[in-house]
Amino acid sequence: MSFSSNAKAEICKTAITKRCCAVAESCGVLLYCNTFSPELIRIVTESPDFSERLPRLFRKAFNLDFDLLPEAGSRGKNAFQITDGEKIRRIFQAFGCAPGDSLALHINYGILENPCCQASFLRGAFLAGGSVTDPEKRYHLELATTHFNVSREAYSLLLELGFSPKDTVRNGSSILYFKQSDYIEDFLTFLGAPVCAMGVMEAKVEKDMKNKINRIVNCDTANMSKVVDAAQAQISAIHRLREQGRLETLPDKLKQTALLRLDNPDAKLSELAQLVQPPITKSAMNHRMRKLMELAKE
């Protein structure tokens, strides 16, 4: 199962207890489903858990059954339909309007007065028209509906609840989406999927740890490259001094330093400093190396 399927499965475990919440959740489902019109209600889902929940939800909210149900045990996309005009009229009535009252659908805030009903509405919207990407790949959660006014009003509702979604239009659908892991964690928890929210958090921690390790490795690699490049430049300078016959004429300290570098081509300056008898500081060793480099350029 995908991460999105797991999130919907966890959300569907939320008990349907109060009728007001069932109506609010059904409202979210219908405003974000495939078709919600005075002539037809059609809900299509690939989630087996949502498919099992839908009939119970509509029975609790409207005391009615679907006219068309998917076959028992069917896989893939399941379609639920209501074509009976009287049933559709009762559903519109539960939302405070009548079929054909308006050309554009809206959210009825009258059924979202309680915080539990607000969560239920967004739960239904996500189950019908939402998705969330596997956080190990990227952070993205969205709600998609073909009703522009509904999306705009859901945007306002989310702002009131402390969320800050982005909005866009894609293939004729209005999209609200989150790309911040913190918002996705909080939103999934709000809908009733704390386990999946924890999965987002764990994925973020793992990504941050990998990025930190990569930065450390890259930094160490860069530092090692600098050490190697510097050592090669020092060795080349010492070889030039030897070819010119000047190495043997150097002061004892510089000559000792040059020979130590030739014998230890991969050593850091701090390591070379400890090989000197008596040992010297890294700064002193760096000063000697700079002197050798200057002499080689003369």
Side-chain angles (χ1 to χ4, degrees), residues 36-160:
F36 180 35
S37 71
E39 296 79 27
L40 174 66
I41 291 175
R42 178 176 168 83
I43 304 167
V44 180
T45 179
E46 294 183 353
S47 169
D49 299 273
F50 185 36
S51 296
E52 191 275 332
R53 181 182 182 86
L54 261 177
R56 294 187 290 111
L57 179 66
F58 272 54
R59 203 171 293 120
K60 181 73 173 181
F62 314 116
N63 193 29
L64 56 79
D65 297 317
F66 286 95
D67 296 328
L68 176 64
L69 292 169
E71 295 181 3
S74 61
R75 297 182 179 180
K77 293 184 177 181
N78 292 328
F80 298 79
Q81 287 188 186
I82 297 178
T83 55
D84 184 280
E86 177 58 25
K87 291 182 179 179
I88 295 177
R89 187 192 64 79
R90 284 166 55 189
I91 291 173
F92 272 90
Q93 191 176 33
F95 296 154
C97 60
D101 276 355
S102 174
L103 294 176
L105 294 173
H106 293 271
I107 297 176
N108 180 3
Y109 288 103
I111 63 174
L112 304 182
E113 293 181 352
N114 299 321
C116 60
C117 293
Q118 294 169 353
S120 295
F121 170 81
L122 292 171
R123 185 180 302 123
F126 180 77
L127 290 173
S131 65
V132 57
T133 303
D134 188 339
E136 293 185 0
K137 298 178 181 178
R138 62 191 179 105
Y139 304 125
H140 185 87
L141 184 149
E142 68 176 39
L143 300 172
T145 178
T146 56
H147 309 296
F148 174 76
N149 290 329
V150 170
S151 187
R152 184 179 59 185
E153 292 159 1
Y155 180 90
S156 299
L157 175 61
L158 286 167
L159 288 180
E160 291 178 7

Side-chain angles (χ1 to χ4, degrees), residues 48-297:
D49 299 273
F50 185 36
S51 296
E52 191 275 332
R53 181 182 182 86
L54 261 177
R56 294 187 290 111
L57 179 66
F58 272 54
R59 203 171 293 120
K60 181 73 173 181
F62 314 116
N63 193 29
L64 56 79
D65 297 317
F66 286 95
D67 296 328
L68 176 64
L69 292 169
E71 295 181 3
S74 61
R75 297 182 179 180
K77 293 184 177 181
N78 292 328
F80 298 79
Q81 287 188 186
I82 297 178
T83 55
D84 184 280
E86 177 58 25
K87 291 182 179 179
I88 295 177
R89 187 192 64 79
R90 284 166 55 189
I91 291 173
F92 272 90
Q93 191 176 33
F95 296 154
C97 60
D101 276 355
S102 174
L103 294 176
L105 294 173
H106 293 271
I107 297 176
N108 180 3
Y109 288 103
I111 63 174
L112 304 182
E113 293 181 352
N114 299 321
C116 60
C117 293
Q118 294 169 353
S120 295
F121 170 81
L122 292 171
R123 185 180 302 123
F126 180 77
L127 290 173
S131 65
V132 57
T133 303
D134 188 339
E136 293 185 0
K137 298 178 181 178
R138 62 191 179 105
Y139 304 125
H140 185 87
L141 184 149
E142 68 176 39
L143 300 172
T145 178
T146 56
H147 309 296
F148 174 76
N149 290 329
V150 170
S151 187
R152 184 179 59 185
E153 292 159 1
Y155 180 90
S156 299
L157 175 61
L158 286 167
L159 288 180
E160 291 178 7
L161 293 171
F163 299 102
S164 297
K166 302 292 181 65
D167 64 293
T168 188
V169 176
R170 186 197 312 136
N171 299 327
S173 293
S174 296
I175 313 291
L176 300 180
Y177 65 93
F178 299 112
K179 283 190 174 296
Q180 304 96 327
S181 61
D182 293 345
Y183 277 137
I184 295 175
E185 293 168 18
D186 293 343
F187 190 65
L188 288 175
T189 301
F190 183 72
L191 297 184
V195 175
C196 285
M198 185 64 67
V200 177
M201 191 180 303
E202 291 173 351
K204 181 183 178 182
V205 171
E206 186 175 346
K207 283 183 180 180
D208 290 344
M209 183 63 69
K210 287 181 179 178
N211 291 336
K212 183 177 180 180
I213 292 173
N214 287 336
R215 286 195 297 270
I216 293 173
V217 170
N218 291 337
C219 182
D220 289 345
T221 301
N223 290 337
M224 185 59 67
S225 297
K226 290 180 181 179
V227 170
V228 172
D229 292 342
Q232 290 301 316
Q234 295 160 6
I235 291 172
S236 296
I238 295 168
H239 281 313
R240 285 199 299 273
L241 290 172
R242 172 173 281 174
E243 291 169 358
Q244 296 167 3
R246 300 167 60 194
L247 183 59
E248 298 300 327
T249 63
L250 294 175
D252 290 343
K253 291 182 179 180
L254 292 181
K255 181 179 178 181
Q256 181 189 30
T257 298
L259 295 176
L260 280 173
R261 169 50 80 197
L262 293 177
D263 292 338
N264 303 275
D266 298 327
K268 299 178 182 179
L269 288 181
S270 58
E271 295 169 346
L272 287 179
Q274 295 303 308
L275 296 177
V276 177
Q277 296 299 327
I280 59 175
T281 64
K282 177 183 176 181
S283 177
M285 175 58 69
N286 187 44
H287 175 75
R288 292 186 185 184
M289 283 297 179
R290 284 204 306 269
K291 185 64 176 176
L292 287 171
M293 298 285 286
E294 291 171 1
L295 289 173
K297 292 179 180 179

